[in-house]
Amino acid sequence: MTKREQLHVVKPSTSVDEALERLVEHRITGFPVTDDHWNLVGVVSDYDLLALDSISGNGQTEADIFPEVDSTWKTFHHIQKLLSKTNGKVVSDVMTSAPLVVRETTNLEDAARLLLVSKYRRLPVVDSSGKLVGIITRGNVVRAALEFKKNVEGSL
């Protein structure tokens, strides 16, 4: 688990533009969304932030959202259009409220199973009062499995 002190989080009032900039800056794909007291109020991912095109009511189909691969100019133009829709939007407009979470008492095997079944990349870890204490990612699970394997092989 990545502990709270090491996490990048956003507030519901954070602008979508700022959230996108922070995703790129920190090379991550999503954030827990917390209030001023570390209560988890949602999660927001790169997908949520870029899905503004579909929630803006412009009537495009999913196939239209992704331009042809061989058209670099068309792709650039489309991304510019997507980013123009972020004006005035804040994280609370696009976040997932009441996300799937695990408790800090959840064992690693159960958390890994939940990540696999849900197909999420990350799950917030909360205490009994709903305060964010960390996040568990697929990468955390893989690292723990490799460490366990090394320890088992080293003891043989």
Side-chain angles (χ1 to χ4, degrees):
M1 171 179 90
T2 304
K3 295 191 183 277
R4 176 170 90 178
E5 297 77 23
Q6 299 167 317
L7 288 179
H8 301 284
V9 300
V10 292
K11 304 285 185 221
S13 59
T14 302
S15 74
V16 167
D17 286 337
E18 181 183 341
L20 284 167
E21 287 174 15
R22 291 179 62 196
L23 283 177
V24 171
E25 176 186 346
H26 299 296
R27 297 179 179 199
I28 57 177
T29 59
F31 296 107
V33 183
T34 62
D35 66 14
D36 292 333
H37 305 287
W38 286 95
N39 293 304
L40 182 70
V41 296
V43 293
V44 66
S45 70
D46 52 359
Y47 181 85
D48 298 323
L49 295 168
L50 291 175
L52 280 170
D53 199 51
S54 62
I55 64 172
S56 65
N58 70 358
Q60 283 188 321
T61 64
E62 187 172 318
D64 294 334
I65 292 173
F66 301 100
E68 299 167 24
V69 175
D70 61 353
S71 174
T72 305
W73 175 249
K74 188 175 178 182
T75 301
F76 176 75
H77 179 69
H78 188 75
I79 291 172
Q80 273 188 313
K81 274 179 52 179
L82 277 175
L83 292 176
S84 72
K85 296 179 186 299
T86 65
N87 292 340
K89 298 278 187 193
V90 293
V91 167
S92 63
D93 294 331
V94 297
M95 73 181 188
T96 300
S97 301
L100 186 60
V101 300
V102 293
R103 299 275 181 209
E104 60 187 335
T105 55
T106 304
N107 68 46
L108 182 61
E109 185 178 336
D110 289 341
R113 187 177 305 110
L114 196 52
L115 281 167
L116 286 171
V117 171
S118 69
K119 298 185 180 169
Y120 291 143
R121 294 179 181 182
R122 72 198 68 75
L123 292 171
V125 181
V126 297
D127 64 15
S128 59
S129 63
K131 291 194 184 303
L132 183 69
V133 296
I135 199 161
I136 188 160
T137 66
R138 291 185 214 169
N140 295 137
V141 173
V142 170
R143 275 189 289 284
L146 286 172
E147 188 175 313
F148 178 77
K149 181 181 178 192
K150 286 178 185 176
N151 289 341
V152 168
E153 289 172 351
S155 66
L156 296 178

